[in-house]
Amino acid sequence: MSGGPDPLFALKNNFYMGAYQAAINESTVHGFIGLSEAATIERDSIMYRAYIALGQYQLVIDEISSAAPTALQAVKLLAQYFSGGSNKEKALSSISEWTADPVVASNPTFLLVAGTLYAHEKMYNEALKLTHVGGTLDLCALNVQIYLKMNRTDFAEKQLKIMQQIDEDHTLTQLANAWCNVCVGGSKIKEAFDIFQELCEKYTWTVPLMNGSAICHMHTGRYEDAETLLLEALNKDAKDADTLANLIVCDLHLGKPTGRYMSQLKTAHPDHPLVQRSVSAEESLERAIHERS
């Protein structure tokens, strides 16, 4: 099978673009007869990550047993972390313990999960200590995301060049290129928009790709076009955090009321940065009113 077409291509591609249910369907409809053990583990890892992306945390926790391979155990930690509560702290504690095991710490899926969790905790240096080794497009793509969160587009572009050397046409490479262009801004916005559009037309329109296109519209002041795309994305997933947050920003520029979207965001994603900033602003206003009264 080495050197031939990747039997997991459709599964991976759907996952990378945010077509999570399609990825799950792809993993279960086909038998994948003749898959190696490594490929089978990779298939299941991506399938369970798709379930996590859809918020099906408990399903993943229940289905991955303690006897599962390291990669799947790592994905289980991802589900535990996002399920919240005591599970979140247990997952972070386990990541710290597993990192001390050189065998576990060399597993690409574990590194991806550990880096993802640390990035969510804004522990960017800790994440990069694990993910800087790269070696896979997934790890390089995560590095790009981390550097962009740190406002280090220079380092993000260096990681992008590594990805382009590995596979310039890969969907992950194209997405990393688009997000780097968005963060650089200026004339690069058009290039980013073209990438999002090409992926949508070549494969399928997904919520993340529609949000990417909408952000490009907002960068160029085309808020009506952005709103149209975001409303289409909302039809696909009424609870998507990025869509709701982008609609709030977009409608603020259009002079439209944003209360309903903010209410939805608070209900579905109470820890979202936009919600936290809104709550903080409300509390500051209440304190100011109280002090004056």
Side-chain angles (χ1 to χ4, degrees):
M1 286 171 56
S2 62
D6 183 355
L8 302 180
F9 174 80
L11 167 64
K12 293 178 183 177
N13 217 49
N14 280 320
F15 177 77
Y16 294 144
M17 293 188 301
Y20 302 119
Q21 189 59 55
I24 292 168
N25 295 344
E26 185 69 30
S27 72
T28 56
V29 170
H30 301 293
F32 291 112
I33 298 172
L35 276 186
S36 66
E37 181 181 1
T40 300
I41 293 171
E42 185 178 18
R43 176 199 64 191
D44 293 345
S45 296
I46 296 172
M47 175 191 72
Y48 283 124
R49 285 169 63 197
Y51 274 117
I52 291 171
L54 292 175
Q56 301 296 312
Y57 312 128
Q58 197 58 48
L59 179 149
V60 177
I61 293 170
D62 291 342
E63 288 195 6
I64 298 179
S65 72
S66 58
T70 298
L72 293 180
Q73 291 289 348
V75 173
K76 185 174 183 177
L77 288 182
L78 194 65
Q80 290 173 333
Y81 174 86
F82 286 116
S83 67
S86 60
N87 277 341
K88 180 177 179 178
E89 297 306 318
K90 288 179 183 177
L92 289 170
S93 177
S94 295
I95 289 291
S96 181
E97 292 173 10
W98 291 13
T99 302
D101 185 331
V103 176
V104 174
S106 64
N107 184 281
T109 301
F110 169 76
L111 293 174
L112 190 66
V113 167
T116 299
L117 297 196
Y118 281 144
H120 271 275
E121 290 292 303
K122 295 183 171 63
M123 299 167 63
Y124 301 130
N125 289 330
E126 287 79 358
L128 290 168
K129 285 177 184 176
L130 297 173
T131 62
H132 79 280
V133 293
T136 69
L137 282 172
D138 293 79
L139 284 172
C140 288
L142 179 57
N143 286 338
V144 169
Q145 291 179 337
I146 293 171
Y147 283 128
L148 291 178
K149 288 176 182 290
M150 297 172 70
N151 295 316
R152 292 306 304 264
T153 54
D154 51 342
F155 286 145
E157 289 178 326
K158 287 179 181 178
Q159 286 292 311
L160 173 60
K161 287 180 180 178
I162 294 173
M163 296 179 72
Q164 290 171 333
Q165 290 170 358
I166 296 173
D167 188 347
E168 186 173 13
D169 297 324
H170 195 282
T171 297
L172 269 182
T173 306
Q174 292 298 306
L175 288 170
N177 191 8
W179 285 115
C180 280
N181 286 337
V182 167
C183 290
V184 170
S187 62
K188 292 289 185 179
I189 294 297
K190 175 66 166 59
E191 292 180 33
F193 180 79
D194 289 343
I195 291 172
F196 289 129
Q197 289 294 296
E198 184 179 347
L199 288 171
C200 286
E201 292 167 5
K202 186 176 181 180
Y203 299 111
T204 185
W205 288 81
T206 65
V207 171
L209 293 180
M210 294 168 83
N211 270 273
S213 296
I215 287 172
C216 291
H217 281 317
M218 285 193 281
H219 269 279
T220 54
R222 299 171 64 181
Y223 295 106
E224 291 85 358
D225 291 335
E227 184 187 38
T228 299
L229 267 176
L230 291 170
L231 289 175
E232 289 179 22
L234 199 66
N235 284 333
K236 289 178 174 288
D237 185 353
K239 294 182 178 180
D240 182 68
D242 289 337
T243 303
L244 290 168
N246 285 329
L247 271 168
I248 291 169
V249 174
C250 185
D251 282 1
L252 280 172
H253 282 88
L254 289 172
K256 295 184 177 182
T258 61
R260 182 176 297 171
Y261 297 135
M262 180 59 78
S263 178
Q264 288 177 270
L265 189 62
K266 285 180 178 178
T267 301
H269 308 278
D271 295 327
H272 192 278
L274 197 58
V275 171
Q276 293 178 339
R277 286 200 292 271
S278 174
V279 170
S280 177
E282 289 170 3
E283 290 174 348
S284 296
L285 180 60
E286 287 178 6
R287 280 197 303 270
I289 293 172
H290 179 74
E291 288 170 359
R292 289 183 179 182
S293 62

